[in-house]
Amino acid sequence: MTPPLPRPRAGIVGTGGIANAHAEALLAGGAELAVAVDIDPGRAAAFAEKWGINATAPTLADAAAAGLDLVAICTPPSSHAPLALEALALGLNVVLEKPPALSLRQMEELEAAARASGRQVSCIFQHRFGSGARKLAALQESGALGSPLTGYCNTLWFRDQDYFDVPWRGKWDVEGGGPTMGHGIHQFDLLLHLWGPWQEVTAFAGRLARRTETEDVSTAIVRFESGALSTVINSVISPRETSQLRLDYENATVELEHLYGYDDAHWRFTPAPGNEHLAAAWADGQPVTPSGHAAQYAHIVAALSAGTPLPVPPADAYRTMELAAAIYASAIGGSTVRRGEITDGNPFFDRADGNLEPWKLEKSTA
């Protein structure tokens, strides 16, 4: 167990756009920002000045000399797992921006390295931590909602061609996939967090409108161990952007519609006939916590300060990553994929595309 820390000292690794969300959330959670790490000294210096950080460093090893307790890895996806493994070897706790890794093999390596080092990894899946999701989880746990039945989980976003023309985007080797891995994963992580283990998935995917190596849309039907069924759509070619979750239970329908983050006002609760009393349980008057990095970091910093386990360790994030891998495996292989099927020796264990080049770039739409 990590020893208690009165005020964790944190480093930010990679100072691009998403690093600002981490810096803001760490400060809000009560951590000290001690060093900004970037291979570009000018970018590191500008970021440090913006956030009042006194030191910069070109490498993790240099940063570790500053006496850090935690590093937030905010670099492009292909470097997430390697940098996390390096940080663990240096004796640092790690927060990993999504996706935490590019493959299930890397997820297993992260879990093993954390266990061997005695340090911890928290994977950023921030939608779990808004008060609406936590209230729904508690209602589920109480049994008041009855069994989950059916629903949908839609990430319908829009990214133009310029977005994909950035050199590291839309590449299997760098991003690990398209909207399934890099965009919709937030929303279907919340679905899995609420509805528990998935059992099997049948999916389709394609590149319909963008010049990119990966898919620009996928759609899947997921069966859960409970028997519940949900569709999951992940898109970056949808002009009216929205993120939607609808969960039908025996005793109520619970809906969420937002874009990149929600608060309690984005939820809608509809009790089934005869269960009108549940509306009062939903409108409980408790303080509102929006989803987002700040919500998750509040738990991360509190756990570090208390010496307790960090939220969303690799073992917990694995089933979300496994569903992403299974969506690709089903779409590319043309078959239903069951949880636990993608293991060492399966081509999708090491890469989301299984090295099968599913959508050759020359076939893309101009």
Side-chain angles (χ1 to χ4, degrees), residues 3-363:
L5 301 168
R7 190 185 180 203
R9 287 171 54 82
I12 305 283
V13 184
T15 57
I18 196 62
N20 293 286
H22 286 258
E24 183 177 20
L26 277 162
L27 289 173
E32 175 188 353
L33 294 183
V35 61
V37 183
D38 203 297
I39 58 174
D40 183 332
R43 189 164 58 191
F47 184 85
E49 182 178 3
K50 176 178 180 179
W51 292 103
I53 302 172
N54 292 326
T56 64
T59 69
L60 253 178
D62 292 320
L68 300 178
D69 307 302
L70 173 76
V71 289
I73 296 177
C74 307
T75 52
S78 62
S79 61
H80 286 180
L83 285 170
L85 293 173
E86 181 183 353
L88 291 168
L90 289 167
L92 303 173
N93 298 297
V94 179
V95 176
L96 265 177
E97 185 51 63
K98 62 82 190 166
L102 296 194
S103 70
L104 297 182
R105 184 181 299 280
Q106 287 185 338
M107 291 298 294
E108 289 191 352
E109 290 170 350
L110 282 173
E111 184 178 359
R115 188 166 54 246
S117 69
R119 293 296 180 261
Q120 301 184 70
V121 177
S122 179
C123 305
I124 288 290
F125 283 120
Q126 70 271 26
H127 287 341
R128 300 184 183 195
F129 295 91
S131 51
R134 297 176 71 81
K135 177 164 51 178
L136 179 53
L139 273 175
Q140 282 189 167
E141 185 74 19
S142 74
L145 299 179
S147 299
L149 301 174
T150 189
Y152 56 71
C153 177
N154 298 334
T155 300
L156 305 172
W157 292 0
F158 186 83
R159 300 292 185 267
D160 62 15
Q161 188 57 50
D162 287 347
Y163 175 87
F164 288 99
D165 288 342
V166 173
W168 60 269
R169 287 212 176 104
K171 303 290 193 299
W172 292 107
D173 287 339
V174 183
E175 287 202 286
T180 311
M181 181 72 85
H183 303 82
I185 197 168
H186 289 296
Q187 197 78 346
F188 65 74
D189 173 77
L190 178 56
L191 173 64
L192 297 180
H193 176 63
L194 292 167
W195 274 13
W198 62 277
Q199 184 180 78
E200 59 184 356
V201 60
T202 301
F204 297 89
R207 190 179 60 246
L208 305 184
R210 300 289 179 264
R211 294 186 304 276
T212 175
E213 285 185 7
T214 68
E215 88 287 4
D216 55 20
V217 65
S218 69
T219 181
I221 301 172
V222 181
R223 186 192 305 275
F224 289 81
E225 282 191 356
S226 66
L229 294 167
S230 179
T231 58
V232 176
I233 300 176
N234 308 293
S235 168
V236 287
I237 54 174
S238 302
R240 189 183 82 81
E241 293 189 285
T242 185
S243 303
Q244 301 167 320
L245 194 66
R246 174 174 173 140
L247 305 174
D248 289 333
Y249 300 86
E250 290 180 293
N251 299 331
T253 291
V254 184
E255 297 166 276
L256 170 65
E257 182 164 7
H258 63 109
L259 188 51
Y260 302 137
Y262 66 80
D263 61 29
D264 284 12
H266 291 101
W267 293 82
R268 181 179 180 184
F269 186 89
T270 306
N275 289 275
E276 288 79 8
H277 64 283
L278 293 177
W282 179 256
D284 61 1
Q286 294 299 308
V288 174
T289 300
S291 71
H293 287 74
Q296 183 164 349
Y297 266 112
H299 290 266
I300 291 170
V301 173
L304 280 175
S305 297
T308 55
L310 300 189
V312 202
D316 189 358
Y318 190 93
R319 69 182 180 190
T320 299
M321 292 293 293
E322 189 179 16
L323 179 58
I327 289 172
Y328 286 118
S330 177
I332 295 167
S335 63
T336 296
V337 176
R338 296 182 64 86
R339 187 167 62 89
E341 185 177 311
I342 303 175
T343 57
D344 193 6
N346 185 300
F348 296 94
F349 187 69
D350 289 291
R351 278 176 63 102
D353 68 343
N355 273 313
L356 296 176
E357 296 185 295
W359 304 289
K360 288 185 178 294
L361 192 55
E362 62 265 26
K363 294 181 180 178

